[in-house]
């Protein structure tokens, strides 16, 4: 019997051995990682191991006898419940109808089955006394090193059980020199990276926005297990909560040997009354493990995302021009045609008309009216969307459109007809948002779900040639109240909003599977894996300043692949920071994500248009590498060494793209030499600079180097561009294309 067959037989015995307290461990694995749990029937479900892939010999050390492990002990409960012998943080806390607030969960059985390219393991738990059930689920992807974990909670008690706390998953992390990497920020400053050692006490990362959940903090974290985080070395656990709503991540460092990590829906003001036989499914927590540092963990997340968690994740994205910063609300037929002609002439493939195109009784002239009235403003667009589609066809490009379907303005025909459709506290006047009139529609209401679906459905039914939708969401939930939910279930509002949102998204994707949809939410408010299965990409930030984008896109890349990160070339001075950055630098930053433009082309010089045309052509060459390749972050802008650098490499390691951005300019400055990574040491690579503006080529232009040399030494990048004196400035950037010489 070969090794693989013996291994499979051993694992089958390990997982399926049942009946008594003896010998029932559960083994969950991906190609490079293993998770082992002790699951004796009638006993407690406990963690035993999570980390790099175990061998058959290693697994034998986890054999269980009479509920006690030999050689290696169980760490902790895999899903800690409140009430008995649990004085610290818990994953699950309930109140039974009789007032009892305790649980005592025991293993009933475990099952394993194949689901496509994944293996699903379900461990069934039941309370010792009450008919209260919890399924702890693990989905291990066999084509990506990610394990998703979630729970399914139900009961058969006569009356509802109150769920006070309902985390998706728990993970103990061995104490030592453990560091936490996570993202924070604000509007126009999203995706900022924070790295800190874990110390005694509680670390809480949470969101209470109600609609968007990634502006200020992110529901994704990384744990560096052996000291200060390194990009391409070190052991790292990554975790990403796949939820579009309010979340809470807790890291409790108490007096034992572990940091205790919990992740799930934020239970604040969201206690849930669970009816008999109702199934409450928590969102999945995606876990990955890498011994190749932070970038290794990112590569795992990116591959999983492209294959499983991102609409059309393996289809390269079109290069587009969005109208917003070019014209804002000043939409008109002639102007749109002109912008289409301009992007087509530069080699672009898609034009997106942003806000300002709609409204009949209340034409959309600014952000204070018309949301909800999704009809064409014929004064602005006399030929309607049909005319725009004809213009796009004339220029041989695709057409896209902006909508904000979850929102309304009090100045709108929709609000006049359906004031009861908004989220509003009972007996209170609504608190209004953007423009002094904006409100959020109550997606718990099936009639509202039908309306929001209808916004997309009506557009696509009337104009099936629409290729792209920019879906915005510009307001938080600032009123707690639902006219649809019963008075005793008002605490379900946040959860039901996102259930409704997901139902709408599922309906849209079922009917329009090929439509490209961007998740925009005042910028980067919906960069999360609860949204992305239904969306192709997200708008990283409303801030298009290239220098600040280096920081934002760097942080965002920890968890999200370049194919999902919309990155646009915009005007100078920048509309948000008013910083003047040369076009070359703006192009080089935008080319590290999904390239687009956010500018008025008619205001550009002929030289600028020519440079953009060249850049778009060259981006098409590297697009598969950037959007589908493996990321290697090399020099972080957060290290304040004056330079930032990263690269993308194809899985075959035959092509790569290297990015280098100077972050500041001083006389007699000394920047670190950047060594490359991810190449094949034995392969030879020819170097070619993209977007070149220098009068003379780089000294290594067209030369060939071994992967071993480039990873050991890197290339000496000139600190400044060699251009005519009147074109000198304080910015410098380079993009190098590496191609294997065979």
């Amino acid at each position: 019997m070969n090794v693989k067959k013996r291994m499979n037989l051993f694992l089958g015995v390990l997982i399926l051995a049942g009946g008594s307290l003896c010998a029932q461990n559960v083994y969950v694995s991906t190609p490079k990682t293993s998770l082992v749990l002790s699951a004796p029937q009638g006993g407690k479900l406990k963690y035993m191991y999570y980390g790099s892939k175990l061998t058959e010999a290693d697994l034998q050390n986890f054999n269980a006898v009479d509920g006690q492990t030999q050689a290696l002990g169980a760490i902790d409960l895999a899903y800690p419940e409140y009430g008995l012998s649990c004085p610290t943080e818990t994953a699950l806390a309930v109140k039974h109808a009789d007032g009892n607030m305790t649980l005592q969960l025991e293993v009933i059985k475990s099952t394993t089955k194949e689901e496509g390219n994944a293996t699903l393991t379900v461990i069934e738990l039941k309370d010792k006394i009450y008919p209260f059930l919890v399924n702890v689920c693990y989905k291990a992807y066999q084509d990506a090193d990610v394990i998703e974990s979630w729970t399914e909670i139900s009961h058969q008690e006569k009356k509802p059980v109150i769920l006070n706390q309902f985390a998706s998953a728990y993970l103990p992390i061995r104490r030592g020199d453990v560091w936490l990497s996570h993202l924070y920020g604000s509007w126009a400053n999203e995706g900022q990276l924070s790295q800190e050692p874990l110390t005694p006490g509680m670390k809480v990362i949470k969101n209470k926005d109600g609609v968007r959940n990634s502006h200020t903090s992110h529901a994704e974290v990384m744990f560096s297990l052996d000291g200060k985080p390194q990009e391409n070395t070190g052991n790292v656990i990554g975790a990403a909560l796949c939820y579009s709503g309010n979340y809470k991540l807790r890291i409790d460092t108490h007096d034992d040997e572990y940091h205790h990590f919990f992740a799930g829906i934020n239970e604040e003001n969201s206690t849930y009354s669970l009816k008999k036989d109702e199934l409450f499914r928590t969102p999945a927590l995606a876990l990955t493990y890498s011994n190749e540092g932070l970038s290794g963990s990112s590569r795992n997340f990116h591959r999983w995302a492209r294959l499983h968690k991102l609409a059309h994740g393996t289809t390269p994205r079109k290069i587009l021009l969005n109208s917003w910063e070019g014209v804002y609300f000043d939409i008109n037929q002639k102007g749109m045609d002109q912008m289409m002609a301009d992007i087509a002439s530069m080699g672009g493939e898609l034009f997106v008309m942003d806000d300002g195109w709609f409204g009949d009784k209340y034409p959309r002239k600014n952000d204070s009216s018309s949301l909800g009235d999704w009809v064409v403003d014929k004064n602005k667009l006399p030929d309607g969307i049909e005319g725009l589609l004809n213009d796009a066809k004339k220029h041989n490009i695709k057409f896209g459109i902006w909508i904000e379907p979850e929102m309304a303005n009090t100045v709108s025909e929709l609000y006049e007809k359906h004031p009861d459709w908004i989220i509003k506290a009972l007996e209170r006047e609504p608190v209004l948002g953007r423009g002094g009139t904006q409100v959020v529609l109550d997606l718990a209401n099936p009639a509202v779900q039908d309306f929001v679906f209808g916004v997309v459905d009506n557009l696509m039914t009337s104009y099936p040639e629409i290729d792209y939708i920019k879906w915005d969401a510009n307001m938080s939930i600032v009123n707690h109240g639902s006219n649809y939910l019963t008075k005793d279930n008002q605490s379900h509002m946040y959860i039901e909003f996102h259930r409704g949102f997901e139902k709408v998204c599922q309906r849209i994707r079922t009917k329009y599977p090929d439509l490209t949809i961007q998740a925009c939410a005042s910028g980067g408010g919906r960069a999360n894996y609860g949204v992305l299965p239904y969306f192709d990409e997200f708008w990283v930030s409303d801030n298009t300043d290239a220098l600040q984008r280096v920081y934002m896109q760097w942080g965002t890349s920890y968890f999200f692949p370049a194919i999902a990160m919309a990155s646009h070339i915009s005007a100078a001075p920048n509309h948000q920071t008013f910083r003047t950055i040369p076009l070359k630098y703006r192009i080089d930053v935008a080319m590290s994500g999904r390239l687009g433009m956010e500018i008025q082309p008619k205001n550009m010089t002929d030289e600028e248009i020519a440079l953009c045309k060249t850049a778009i052509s060259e981006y098409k060459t590297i697009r598969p590498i950037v959007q589908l390749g493996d990321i290697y972050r090399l020099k972080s802008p957060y290290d304040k060494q004056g330079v930032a650098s990263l690269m993308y490499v194809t899985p075959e390691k035959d092509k790569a793209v290297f990015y280098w951005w100077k972050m500041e300019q001083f006389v007699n400055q000394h920047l670190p030499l950047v060594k490359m990574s991810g190449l094949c040491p034995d392969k030879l690579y020819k170097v070619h600079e993209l977007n070149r503006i220098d009068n003379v080529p780089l000294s290594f232009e067209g030369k060939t180097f071994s992967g071993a040399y480039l990873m050991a030494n890197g290339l000496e990048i000139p600190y400044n561009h060699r251009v005519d004196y009147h074109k000198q400035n304080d910015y410098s950037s380079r993009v190098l294309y590496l191609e294997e010489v065979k």
Side-chain angles (χ1 to χ4, degrees), residues 342-402:
D342 289 338
I343 188 61
S345 71
M346 288 186 275
E349 299 152 327
L350 169 69
F351 173 76
V352 180
M353 178 176 66
D354 211 289
D355 198 352
W357 59 269
F358 54 93
D360 183 14
K361 181 179 179 181
Y362 302 104
R364 178 77 161 177
K365 298 178 181 178
N366 52 49
D367 59 11
S368 66
S369 75
S370 316
L371 290 179
D373 301 345
W374 301 106
V375 294
V376 173
D377 180 349
K378 286 299 185 73
N379 290 319
K380 291 184 175 182
L381 301 171
D383 295 332
I385 294 173
E386 187 67 41
L388 297 172
L389 288 167
N390 289 335
D391 288 340
K393 190 178 297 184
K394 174 180 66 180
H395 299 299
N396 198 30
I397 60 172
K398 297 294 184 179
F399 177 79
I401 196 166
W402 179 97

Side-chain angles (χ1 to χ4, degrees), residues 577-598:
T577 65
F578 307 105
R579 190 176 4 239
T580 298
I581 297 177
L583 181 58
K584 156 73 172 168
Y585 197 96
R586 286 177 270 151
I587 288 172
D588 288 355
V589 172
M591 281 180 66
S592 66
R594 192 278 287 140
L595 178 65
M597 300 186 74
E598 192 88 12

Side-chain angles (χ1 to χ4, degrees), residues 79-101:
Y79 195 66
E81 71 269 22
Y82 177 77
L84 297 174
S85 301
C86 197
T88 55
E89 292 294 306
T90 56
L92 180 64
V94 309
K95 181 180 179 181
H96 301 278
D98 64 2
N100 193 325
M101 295 184 68

